Amino acid sequence: MKAKVYVTIKQNVLDPQGSAVQGALHSMGFDEVGKVRIGKFLELNLSTSDRTEAEARLTAMCEKLLANTVIEDYRFELEG
Amino acid sequence: MKFAVLVFPGSNCDIDCYKAVEDTIGQSVDYVWHTATDLSAYDAILVPGGFSYGDYLRCGAIARFAPVMNEVVKAAEQGKFILGICNGFQILTEAGLLPGALRRNSGMKFICAQTQLEVVNHTSAFTSEYNAGEIIDIPIAHGEGNYYCDEETLAQLKTNNQIVFRYAGDTNPNGSIENIAGICNERGNVVGMMPHPERAVDEILGSADGKRMFTSILNAWREQHGAAVNG
């Protein structure tokens, strides 16, 4: 089973990378761009076919290591 | 008094920390590898700056799970002195020994520069040799030193006098909330800071203002242990 994990800076926390990219897009004339948030994308191959089990394990992985929940949010998708 | 300087793959201020102890207070100091499982011999633990595990994933995120960190948590509970500098500060926040987190500098640049710090808490075991409100000159070298915590945590930090250093005046180099440069835990035995006191222990380095952090720790330890003045 494949898991896709997305980690992003929380909405109320300044994302300097996102702000820099937003500024660059504006200076290039893409004025329609509002807020930009940059995050991390992780692809994990899991050796399990039990969806419930995989979800519980992924939540633990995200809470413990993959995201710093003080400043980051996470979500994941399971495929297969 | 015995000091441990932790060494993770990627630590690069470990030698500076070792030398700072050796040269400024002449106490016993050992390098301790990240796989170590016993820190009982040490009175103070220095978590040095650098790029532990290449800062992969997030600064300090992987180092926080190194075997030695279980011992650091135990040592903190025992009231031993723990000082995390730069990447060491990031590791201590990841480990939950200090509140908050360090984000990318607001200006997106890695900054290596002398900075002016205000000593906010001069009563801690790490800062008793400084005067209240004293401005000291300590270098910084970081790309992710932008301290963040939520409003509730910030209020607690203030109430408990846990803000140890602030960037002085309007010199905030990285966007840290309320100009915070260093904090301690509620008990006061764990300090984390982005600036590098170990790089400011002699005028030849540009400043000797970091020296008094090391003498403060030694004095605090001697007071706790009623040790002889010479030793």
Side-chain angles (χ1 to χ4, degrees):
Chain A
M1 197 181 289
K2 187 179 271 185
K4 291 180 171 178
V5 180
Y6 304 86
V7 180
T8 47
I9 299 271
K10 281 183 193 289
Q11 286 298 327
N12 60 344
V13 175
L14 173 76
D15 174 1
Q17 288 186 88
S19 303
V21 171
Q22 183 190 24
L25 288 170
H26 283 175
S27 67
M28 292 162 73
F30 297 107
D31 298 324
E32 70 273 32
V33 177
K35 207 170 179 182
V36 178
R37 314 294 288 173
I38 292 185
K40 294 186 190 91
F41 169 64
L42 299 92
E43 243 181 30
L44 282 66
N45 286 313
L46 306 176
S47 60
T48 176
S49 51
D50 183 335
R51 224 177 158 81
T52 315
E53 165 77 7
E55 282 176 3
R57 299 281 288 172
L58 275 166
T59 302
M61 289 178 218
C62 289
E63 292 281 334
K64 279 186 163 180
L65 177 67
L66 303 182
N68 178 344
T69 54
V70 176
I71 50 171
E72 293 172 329
D73 289 324
Y74 65 84
R75 66 186 172 85
F76 54 76
E77 294 160 5
L78 280 168
E79 286 175 3
Chain B
M1 184 176 186
K2 285 192 169 181
F3 282 76
V5 174
L6 303 189
V7 184
F8 297 95
S11 295
N12 65 15
C13 300
D14 43 349
I15 300 175
D16 307 59
C17 282
Y18 187 103
K19 292 287 178 193
V21 171
E22 196 176 47
D23 295 347
T24 62
I25 52 175
Q27 299 298 299
S28 158
V29 53
D30 290 334
Y31 293 116
V32 175
W33 196 233
H34 59 108
T35 51
T37 53
D38 185 6
L39 288 175
S40 59
Y42 301 101
D43 305 301
I45 295 147
L46 305 181
V47 192
F51 297 87
S52 57
Y53 299 89
D55 275 355
Y56 292 162
L57 191 64
R58 280 189 316 280
C59 305
I62 298 176
R64 173 254 179 282
F65 290 101
V68 77
M69 288 306 296
N70 294 326
E71 303 309 303
V72 174
V73 171
K74 275 187 211 162
E77 284 165 1
Q78 289 163 359
K80 291 182 179 182
F81 301 129
I82 296 164
L83 174 59
I85 300 166
C86 201
N87 192 232
F89 183 17
Q90 294 160 343
I91 295 169
L92 295 181
T93 59
E94 284 285 339
L97 287 171
L98 291 170
L102 282 312
R103 299 170 295 178
R104 185 75 64 103
N105 291 349
S106 54
M108 294 297 291
K109 286 182 180 168
F110 185 98
I111 305 170
C112 182
Q114 289 295 125
T115 52
Q116 306 279 304
L117 300 186
E118 176 196 348
V119 181
V120 181
N121 175 348
H122 75 296
T123 58
S124 83
F126 300 77
T127 52
S128 60
E129 297 276 292
Y130 298 106
N131 301 312
E134 185 177 348
I135 306 295
I136 59 173
D137 196 6
I138 305 281
I140 55 165
H142 59 245
E144 300 190 34
N146 180 349
Y147 182 75
Y148 173 83
C149 64
D150 59 28
E151 289 295 323
E152 194 184 332
T153 308
L154 184 62
Q156 281 173 2
L157 291 177
K158 288 180 184 171
T159 307
N160 302 325
N161 200 17
Q162 287 175 249
I163 298 171
V164 180
F165 297 111
R166 279 198 168 103
Y167 299 106
D170 296 323
T171 62
N172 188 337
N174 51 34
S176 282
I177 197 164
E178 300 232 347
N179 299 342
I180 288 173
I183 57 167
C184 64
N185 62 346
E186 208 172 326
R187 189 172 171 179
N189 65 313
V190 180
V191 163
M193 60 194 294
M194 289 313 297
H196 288 268
E198 82 284 11
R199 291 190 190 171
V201 294
D202 194 299
E203 288 299 340
I204 205 170
L205 299 171
S207 168
D209 286 346
K211 207 168 176 174
R212 282 178 284 161
M213 281 201 82
F214 295 94
T215 51
S216 296
I217 297 170
L218 178 60
N219 288 343
W221 182 81
R222 281 178 172 159
E223 272 170 32
Q224 275 184 7
H225 292 79
V229 176
N230 298 313

